[in-house]
Amino acid sequence: MGLQAGAAAALGDSEPARAANMQADDRRKRVVPDDLDSLGGLFTYPVEKQLYYSVACEALLGNGSAETVALAERAVEGFSDPTAASWAFGDLAGAQCDLALVRLFSGDLDGAAAAMRPVLDLPVSHRNNGIVVSAQRVRAALAGGSVNGAVVARDLTAEIEAFPATRLALPRG
């Protein structure tokens, strides 16, 4: 449901996007965990990931409501423990970029910059395509928003422009 919501949001279809997220919420409420859930793996869908996908959907739709900002903060918090079974540096960075976006849409430029700082500080080896694309969404929002003349916005835009890694997929040799 999360990917369905994200696809609809990417097309600008807010009603199907939000309906898919509501359906995911409804389905989660009906889940009865069993011993197979402890195996984990790719087919698990932890709450953190559901929050992340839901916020990503709202970010794609340009939503900066207080509720969305709070959900984005919860998603970042949910991925902040690297010892948790559901942790992944890419999900954390994506959640941080989405937090930056929704803060930006709410008018909180300084909060957006603070959310981006850990992403921009990632080593080149961790700058995968998904993270770079998420950072570029923040850059596009900065360029298209009313804050593009602010010093913080200009500095953040410059950092994001310099962010993409120019690393090879495989080492030479």
Side-chain angles (χ1 to χ4, degrees):
M1 304 300 346
L3 294 177
Q4 181 180 352
L11 294 172
D13 293 334
S14 62
E15 285 185 39
R18 291 183 176 128
N21 279 330
M22 288 176 59
Q23 190 174 13
D25 287 339
D26 291 341
R27 287 183 179 181
R28 179 163 302 279
K29 291 174 188 169
R30 293 194 312 254
V31 168
V32 178
D34 60 26
D35 56 340
L36 293 177
D37 291 307
S38 64
L39 295 175
L42 187 59
F43 294 112
T44 60
Y45 194 61
V47 172
E48 297 84 8
K49 187 159 295 257
Q50 184 177 351
L51 277 172
Y52 168 38
Y53 282 7
S54 179
V55 171
C57 172
E58 293 299 325
L60 285 169
L61 294 171
N63 184 349
S65 71
E67 180 183 353
T68 302
V69 171
L71 287 176
E73 289 168 348
R74 281 184 45 212
V76 169
E77 183 181 320
F79 284 120
S80 291
D81 180 3
T83 65
S86 62
W87 184 82
F89 78 88
D91 288 343
L92 174 59
Q96 289 164 325
C97 288
D98 289 339
L99 175 58
L101 279 170
V102 298
R103 283 181 174 169
L104 189 60
F105 297 146
S106 75
D108 182 5
L109 178 57
D110 290 331
M116 284 302 293
R117 176 56 35 218
V119 177
L120 296 171
D121 289 343
L122 283 171
V124 173
S125 63
H126 286 66
R127 296 177 187 180
N128 64 34
N129 186 61
I131 294 170
V132 171
V133 168
S134 293
Q136 292 303 321
R137 283 190 186 118
V138 176
R139 180 177 161 254
L142 285 164
S146 61
V147 297
N148 62 2
V151 172
V152 172
R154 284 195 314 261
D155 291 348
L156 186 55
T157 298
E159 280 193 83
I160 294 170
E161 286 173 355
F163 177 75
T166 54
R167 63 185 174 99
L168 299 172
L170 298 172
R172 291 182 187 207

